[in-house]
Amino acid sequence: MARTSRIPGFFKLPVSERRRVVAEATHLAAHEFDACDARGLDVATSDKTVENVLGVYALPFAATLNVQINGHDVVAPMVIEEPSVVAAASNAARIARIGGGFTAEADPAIVAAQIQLLDVEDTGSALERIREASSEILALADAAIPGLIARGGGARSLDIRVLGAPSDHMMVVDVFIDCRDAMGANLVNSVAEAIGDELAVLARGRIGFRILSNLCDRRKVRVSCRVPFEALATEEMSGADVARGMEDGSRFAELDAYRACTHNKGIMNGVDAVVIATGNDWRAVEAGAHAYAARNGRYEPLATWRREGEHLVGRLEMPLALGIVGGTLRVHPTAKLALKMTGAKTAVELAVLAATVGLASNLAALRALASDGIQRGHMGLHARSVAVAAGASGDNVEKVAARIIELGDITVDAARKVLSELRASEPSAAAVAE
Ligand code: NAD
């Protein structure tokens, strides 16, 4: 929990001052933020982390402000290369705050180990035998993960399914494991491998794949917010009209997979940025999110919006397997710092934060689409990276960005032209020396 996540004027501060302010707000020492400069992860550590290493690839590390979850302030760490996502999420969190912030809760950290069984002649009797031996199977699973058992986790239940037609002779046993504060992939894979042979004997079949499922739909997060109409108003539109447009946009996503895909991309802008910042496996999160979005046989939005009285209510539900121990967190100094910034003491708290930033990102995108359009805010912030791409540096970045926004031509060509005009009008180094 942060002292506060509401820090007006934060974006105008220099980076060093932002670090100091966030350190104070999140109860950290200022020097801990040294972990988020370019030296965050060194080449030697990288070389021990993956294979064939050439170096380190850096991305911007930022903070989303104004987030309030269940009455508590949180500063959300974000790692993302796309301009405007952090600003939009911070702005949306400020709007949600007017309605009391976000309300969120999450399931326990249950992940399934899947054991595929092949060449099962009589799937019906195999199912019966495995069901009768359930307690022994769960005990065998627990024996493979003593560390997790000591922390209160372990195998909770199992499910047996026959797959395909009788002629496929295929079954799967899903063993549900409480991974506590770990993401759980390696833990669950260990279980799958430990119990596979016993299951094959019981099924009188052949063992197949043994691995976790990333569709962890027993490990879901639910987040909601109630935004008063007036908090959604823009210079040109009333809050009630914006709210109506946002509901129309939500229904569009509910009825059309092409829209739902982009709607969910906007949610994942926020979710992934927190997931990456905290050293978690975003491919696993992405796979789980989109499989869940398609669970009813067609691709659907992860969050929906409805007007209720004088409020617009947003609700998000998605699976989210995040860890606050293990994985990349063992080695990555910036990921460790990011986790400390969140103040999360459990994996559930971290999952709730990531999903909340996802709903904030969705709020921002829908509000922009229902009012000014997405390009106005986005391109304004994009202008700075366009200026850098055109060769601007130092003070010239803001000057070039401001000018191309004014011209309404946010392109590298326009930025180059403005930059050369600026340089031509600047006094030469010799003139300055005089
Ligand atoms: P891990 O292998 O680091 O295991 C977690 C460790 O933390 C365990 O040894 C556990 O005993 C220990 N631990 C300490 N305190 C704990 C606590 N409070 N709660 C739970 N465990 C605690 O990590 P993991 O979470 O098993 O696996 C995550 C890694 O696996 C990620 O790096 C991921 O990228 C990778 N992975 C993913 C997939 C996939 O998603 N399909 C497949 C394979 C590997």
Side-chain angles (χ1 to χ4, degrees):
M1 195 198 313
R3 233 187 283 278
T4 179
S5 63
R6 178 96 189 94
I7 310 172
F10 184 76
F11 71 99
K12 292 183 198 147
L13 300 175
V15 171
S16 57
E17 189 58 11
R18 284 189 204 136
R19 288 185 186 185
R20 194 193 60 73
V21 170
V22 168
E24 201 177 291
T26 56
H27 316 279
L28 296 175
H31 71 82
E32 296 190 70
F33 281 76
D34 293 349
C36 67
D37 63 21
R39 295 189 302 276
L41 182 69
D42 59 40
V43 177
T45 311
S46 300
D47 195 29
K48 299 284 177 283
T49 305
V50 301
E51 309 75 37
N52 297 353
V53 162
L54 300 174
V56 179
Y57 182 111
L59 288 171
F61 177 74
T64 283
L65 301 180
N66 305 319
V67 178
Q68 198 171 54
I69 307 172
N70 299 335
H72 299 302
D73 275 29
V74 190
V75 177
M78 308 266 279
V79 167
I80 189 158
E81 84 298 344
E82 186 179 342
S84 88
V85 171
V86 177
S90 294
N91 191 38
R94 187 187 53 75
I95 289 171
R97 214 178 160 92
I98 298 168
F102 297 92
T103 304
E105 46 132 11
D107 299 329
I110 303 289
V111 176
Q114 294 205 291
I115 297 96
Q116 180 196 26
L117 299 167
L118 298 151
D119 300 340
V120 181
E121 212 39 57
D122 181 353
T123 51
S125 61
L127 198 142
E128 274 315 308
R129 283 191 298 278
I130 296 171
R131 188 174 287 150
E132 278 166 24
S134 291
S135 312
E136 292 96 276
I137 298 293
L138 295 179
L140 202 57
D142 281 345
I145 41 173
L148 186 61
I149 299 297
R151 294 178 178 95
R156 298 290 184 248
S157 62
L158 60 77
D159 196 16
I160 316 152
R161 290 176 290 142
V162 175
L163 299 181
S167 57
D168 285 304
H169 301 291
M170 195 193 296
M171 302 174 72
V172 62
V173 180
D174 295 302
V175 179
F176 299 101
I177 296 152
D178 185 339
C179 299
R180 306 304 279 181
D181 292 318
M183 180 264 188
N186 290 324
L187 291 165
V188 169
N189 291 347
S190 302
V191 168
E193 295 197 351
I195 63 177
D197 289 342
E198 180 63 22
L199 286 169
V201 169
L202 284 166
R204 294 177 193 157
R206 183 164 60 85
I207 190 75
F209 281 16
R210 290 156 289 168
I211 189 165
L212 82 154
S213 171
N214 287 113
L215 176 50
C216 42
D217 55 5
R218 297 188 183 205
R219 193 175 181 174
K220 291 199 294 281
V221 183
R222 288 161 290 278
V223 188
S224 64
C225 62
R226 283 179 70 80
V227 186
F229 286 168
E230 61 269 21
L232 296 165
T234 65
E235 276 174 23
E236 286 107 24
M237 284 177 77
S238 73
D241 285 348
V242 175
R244 181 185 176 170
M246 290 175 71
E247 181 180 302
D248 288 342
S250 174
R251 291 186 57 247
F252 181 12
E254 290 159 43
L255 297 170
D256 179 52
Y258 290 90
R259 174 57 210 152
C261 177
T262 320
H263 180 99
N264 287 346
K265 190 276 181 184
I267 293 171
M268 300 314 288
N269 274 344
V271 174
D272 282 340
V274 176
V275 170
I276 295 170
T278 55
N280 274 280
D281 185 335
W282 71 94
R283 290 85 54 203
V285 166
E286 283 281 339
H290 300 297
Y292 186 70
R295 68 196 177 284
N296 293 324
R298 67 194 179 89
Y299 190 86
E300 293 174 316
L302 295 166
T304 57
W305 297 83
R306 285 291 182 275
R307 287 171 296 165
E308 294 180 8
E310 297 294 301
H311 291 76
L312 182 71
V313 180
R315 294 186 181 87
L316 175 143
E317 183 177 72
M318 66 181 294
L320 210 41
L322 301 186
I324 59 162
V325 293
T328 311
L329 276 163
R330 286 205 181 102
V331 294
H332 203 301
T334 320
K336 288 182 194 172
L337 168 70
L339 184 63
K340 274 182 147 185
M341 265 173 68
T342 68
K345 297 283 176 276
T346 64
V348 159
E349 284 173 34
L350 182 60
V352 155
L353 173 62
T356 297
V357 180
L359 188 61
S361 299
N362 192 226
L363 194 169
L366 264 60
R367 179 169 177 261
L369 285 164
S371 55
D372 299 337
I374 206 79
Q375 287 302 74
R376 190 152 139 187
H378 183 79
M379 291 310 279
L381 292 164
H382 182 55
R384 292 186 304 167
S385 56
V386 170
V388 172
S393 59
D395 290 350
N396 276 348
V397 175
E398 297 296 341
K399 286 184 192 161
V400 171
R403 182 71 186 129
I404 59 177
I405 291 171
E406 200 176 75
L407 292 170
D409 187 6
I410 304 172
T411 60
V412 175
D413 281 347
R416 277 203 192 106
K417 198 157 165 271
V418 170
L419 186 61
S420 62
E421 285 165 9
L422 255 178
R423 283 177 178 156
S425 67
E426 277 170 358
S428 68
V432 171
E434 284 161 12

